[in-house]
Amino acid sequence: MPGAIAIARENPPNPPLTKAGQGQVSSIQPYLDRVIQQVTEFRLENGMKFIVLERPRAPVVSFLIYADVGGANEPNGKTGVAHYLEHLAFKGTPKIGTTDYKAEKPLLEKQDKIFDQIQAAKASGKTEEVAKLKTEFDKIEAEASAYVKQNELGKIVEQAGGVGLNATTSIDATSYFYSLPSNKLELWMSLESERFLEPVFREFYKEKQVILEERRLRSENSPVGKMIEAFADKAFSTHPYRRPVIGYSEDIRNLKRSDVREFFDAYYIPSKLTVAVVGDVQASNVKRLAEVYFGRYKAKPAPPELTIVEPPQTEPREVTVRLPSQPWYLEGYHRPAMNHPDHVIYEAIASLLSSGRTSRLYKSLVEKQQVALVAEGFSGYPGEKYANLMLFYAMTAPGHTVDEVATALGTEIERLQSEPVSDVELAQVKTKARASLLRSLDSNQGMAFALVNYEVKTGSWRNLFKELDAIAAITTADIQRVAKATFRPENRTVGRLLPN
């Protein structure tokens, strides 16, 4: 669904799975035990955490820097700053991305000064002064651009044989990742430590237009995008999960380079950075180089933790958006964070109801009743670090209404609460969950993301491997218990996207 973020992973052959009816993971346990034995973790004196998995099956290494900061951590009035920072992190340093930083730097500072003057003139209604300042601003921007070496970081990585240079910003975190030949470990250490030791947020104002255009395409010109924003704003009353990761247009327009710098200085500190290195490496070598390059970072006080807690929902909520669009129906229920003991049960329920063509919603709403063309959902919207939503969504079929979809969805949810899931169906869900988890672990990049995600959100990367046992232990009673506790009318938020 537009608005959901997925990470593409390679899908090489997996280790053998058990048969669907057994509900055991013994046949893959030796494989998992070997993986665990090959993981080394260490923390630098400044607080930066490294997780290294030695995997010498091919001469390549995948790297991931995970900054424990996302859209939820942004100050009010400065939404979008985490995503903005992710864009600017590719612009280089005093050494990378410029032909002459000594000459470029005063021009960047002058741009900032003129931008402040433009904002003040706009606030005072001085139209002529705004036009004059914009002309001067454009002149300085052109002069600064003459010193920029476009995409130099990307070119260095590509010339070294690197692939997949990219980054993502979510509501929970910001991730920077790519892969290199294993003999380029020190190059990665050098490039990435420089990138976050001395970032230069050049081309700040040009990038602002890129981000505003991204927002227009993703939200303002997308009926579904607008619906999702309105839905999240209704489902969450106080928690920052109600805000879009990309930010609000007005906030983006008003952001200053100093705002990004302040956000970076507060959150991109060693204790908030976790690194995963997976592939053909030796942990001892990784540690030695990490101390040389990332050991240069100074330890800093941690920023305040996000303490806002979404209060329990006590009555049904609804939001309707009318736009030129096919009708869509959304229905969400609050659930606890990823570190809750029932996490795997919520995932199992989401799979049972809405994962693929064998799911109950697809069979009922799409195939049998034909009231929807699409009927899906997932658990963990819009993030997992804090209490979130189990979200279902459907696009109505021609000749049918969102009310018919709502009734059909309600029937399936009630059935889940009142009728025990069959052993065969539960076994299929477990097998699918195990296969999905193992498939993600079989690529270096997938393993890097999984290790760090569990480390930061649950307190230990080892919980990733304990999840297979937790999946195997799910019972039909667990499914009913969690379904009854979660799918209550007062815990429900409904969204309707209707044509004008």
Side-chain angles (χ1 to χ4, degrees):
M1 181 179 185
I5 299 176
I7 299 169
R9 298 186 176 100
E10 305 166 53
N11 296 319
N14 296 317
L17 301 178
T18 56
K19 293 181 180 179
Q22 292 177 341
Q24 302 295 323
V25 294
S26 58
S27 64
I28 57 171
Q29 197 58 50
Y31 162 78
L32 296 177
D33 290 341
R34 286 196 304 273
V35 171
I36 293 171
Q37 291 169 5
Q38 292 165 340
V39 174
T40 300
E41 58 182 318
F42 61 87
R43 192 179 294 275
L44 302 181
E45 289 185 6
N46 56 25
M48 193 169 179
K49 179 73 176 281
F50 282 75
I51 303 171
V52 183
L53 171 56
E54 297 183 13
R55 221 179 201 184
R57 60 187 186 185
V60 293
V61 188
S62 290
F63 302 93
L64 166 65
I65 294 182
Y66 185 101
D68 185 18
V69 55
N73 303 101
E74 296 165 344
N76 289 328
K78 296 180 182 179
T79 60
V81 66
H83 174 248
Y84 208 140
L85 174 52
E86 175 227 304
H87 277 235
L88 296 173
F90 289 86
K91 297 297 182 180
T93 70
K95 300 173 185 175
I96 298 173
T98 183
T99 58
D100 186 349
Y101 183 60
K102 186 176 180 180
E104 179 192 20
K105 183 180 179 181
L107 294 174
L108 299 179
E109 293 170 349
K110 196 167 185 178
Q111 279 183 272
D112 296 336
K113 184 177 179 180
I114 298 173
F115 178 78
D116 289 342
Q117 294 172 344
I118 290 172
Q119 295 294 85
K122 282 182 178 179
S124 302
K126 299 177 180 178
T127 308
E128 292 183 7
E129 186 177 344
V130 170
K132 182 180 178 181
L133 288 167
K134 280 186 174 179
T135 299
E136 185 181 359
F137 180 91
D138 292 342
K139 178 176 177 293
I140 300 300
E141 186 173 53
E143 290 180 25
S145 296
Y147 294 104
V148 175
K149 296 176 73 173
Q150 294 290 340
N151 193 31
E152 186 174 19
L153 176 68
K155 290 176 181 176
I156 293 171
V157 171
E158 185 178 353
Q159 288 169 2
V163 294
L165 174 65
N166 210 338
T168 61
T169 304
S170 72
I171 200 76
D172 290 333
T174 310
S175 302
Y176 302 85
F177 49 94
Y178 55 98
S179 300
L180 280 168
S182 54
N183 62 355
K184 301 296 182 182
L185 172 63
E186 188 162 7
L187 173 66
W188 179 87
M189 292 281 182
S190 175
L191 286 176
E192 294 304 296
S193 63
E194 286 289 332
R195 171 147 66 147
F196 297 111
L197 181 65
E198 295 184 284
V200 174
F201 302 134
R202 55 174 57 90
E203 295 190 305
F204 178 86
Y205 301 97
K206 284 186 177 180
E207 203 63 28
K208 179 175 290 194
Q209 299 310 311
V210 172
I211 293 170
L212 284 168
E213 179 61 21
E214 184 180 340
R215 174 171 169 79
R216 280 191 287 270
L217 291 173
R218 184 188 297 183
S219 302
E220 295 167 11
N221 295 341
S222 166
V224 174
K226 283 187 174 182
M227 177 71 248
I228 289 171
E229 282 196 13
F231 180 84
D233 189 61
K234 178 65 69 172
F236 295 94
S237 61
T238 60
H239 198 273
Y241 272 3
R242 67 199 304 241
R243 306 183 308 204
V245 174
I246 198 168
Y248 297 115
S249 294
E250 183 179 0
D251 289 352
I252 297 169
R253 289 192 180 94
N254 291 329
L255 281 175
K256 303 177 182 180
R257 208 154 63 102
S258 59
D259 294 325
V260 176
R261 170 60 66 178
E262 289 172 8
F263 190 78
F264 173 83
D265 289 342
Y267 287 97
Y268 277 65
I269 62 174
S271 61
K272 284 288 183 180
L273 300 178
T274 303
V275 176
V277 180
V278 180
D280 185 19
V281 293
Q282 292 182 341
S284 58
N285 199 29
V286 174
K287 184 176 182 181
R288 177 181 63 83
L289 292 171
E291 289 172 342
V292 170
Y293 288 96
F294 287 99
R296 297 178 294 167
Y297 290 18
K298 293 182 179 179
K300 294 182 180 180
E305 291 293 329
L306 180 59
T307 57
I308 298 172
V309 177
E310 180 68 19
Q313 188 171 325
T314 57
E315 60 182 9
R317 298 173 185 168
E318 293 188 7
V319 59
T320 298
V321 175
R322 289 189 175 272
L323 293 166
S325 170
Q326 283 284 94
W328 283 83
Y329 179 77
L330 284 73
E331 189 168 297
Y333 296 85
H334 290 274
R335 55 147 290 182
M338 180 179 174
N339 59 3
H340 192 276
D342 286 337
H343 172 67
V344 293
I345 301 172
Y346 282 101
E347 296 294 309
I349 289 174
S351 177
L352 185 70
L353 286 176
S354 59
S355 179
R357 292 175 177 265
T358 60
S359 68
R360 290 187 174 189
L361 293 188
Y362 187 88
K363 286 182 175 179
S364 177
L365 277 67
V366 178
E367 289 187 344
K368 185 178 179 181
Q369 300 182 59
Q370 298 183 358
V371 296
L373 299 178
V374 174
E376 298 178 2
F378 59 96
S379 188
Y381 174 81
E384 295 181 309
K385 187 176 179 181
Y386 307 100
N388 52 77
L389 296 178
M390 181 174 287
L391 177 65
F392 304 103
Y393 53 91
M395 182 172 69
T396 60
H400 294 275
T401 67
V402 293
D403 291 334
E404 290 178 272
V405 169
T407 299
L409 174 59
T411 298
E412 290 304 319
I413 287 176
E414 290 170 10
R415 178 184 162 205
L416 195 67
Q417 294 172 314
S418 60
E419 299 178 12
V421 176
S422 71
D423 291 339
V424 171
E425 194 173 17
L426 181 57
Q428 290 173 342
V429 168
K430 290 182 179 183
T431 298
K432 186 184 293 185
R434 288 196 299 271
S436 176
L437 179 61
L438 290 166
R439 192 172 294 116
S440 72
L441 303 185
D442 210 48
S443 75
N444 286 347
Q445 189 179 99
M447 181 67 85
F449 269 94
L451 289 170
V452 173
N453 198 45
Y454 277 78
E455 173 69 27
V456 175
K457 292 181 180 177
T458 74
S460 173
W461 57 267
R462 293 178 182 274
N463 291 329
L464 167 65
F465 301 97
K466 293 177 182 178
E467 189 155 300
L468 287 168
D469 291 331
I471 291 170
I474 297 173
T475 66
T476 56
D478 289 328
I479 299 289
Q480 273 194 298
R481 171 179 59 82
V482 172
K484 288 177 180 179
T486 303
F487 300 130
R488 295 172 288 107
E490 65 271 23
N491 191 38
R492 180 175 61 221
T493 300
V494 167
R496 297 180 179 87
L497 174 57
L498 303 176
N500 289 339

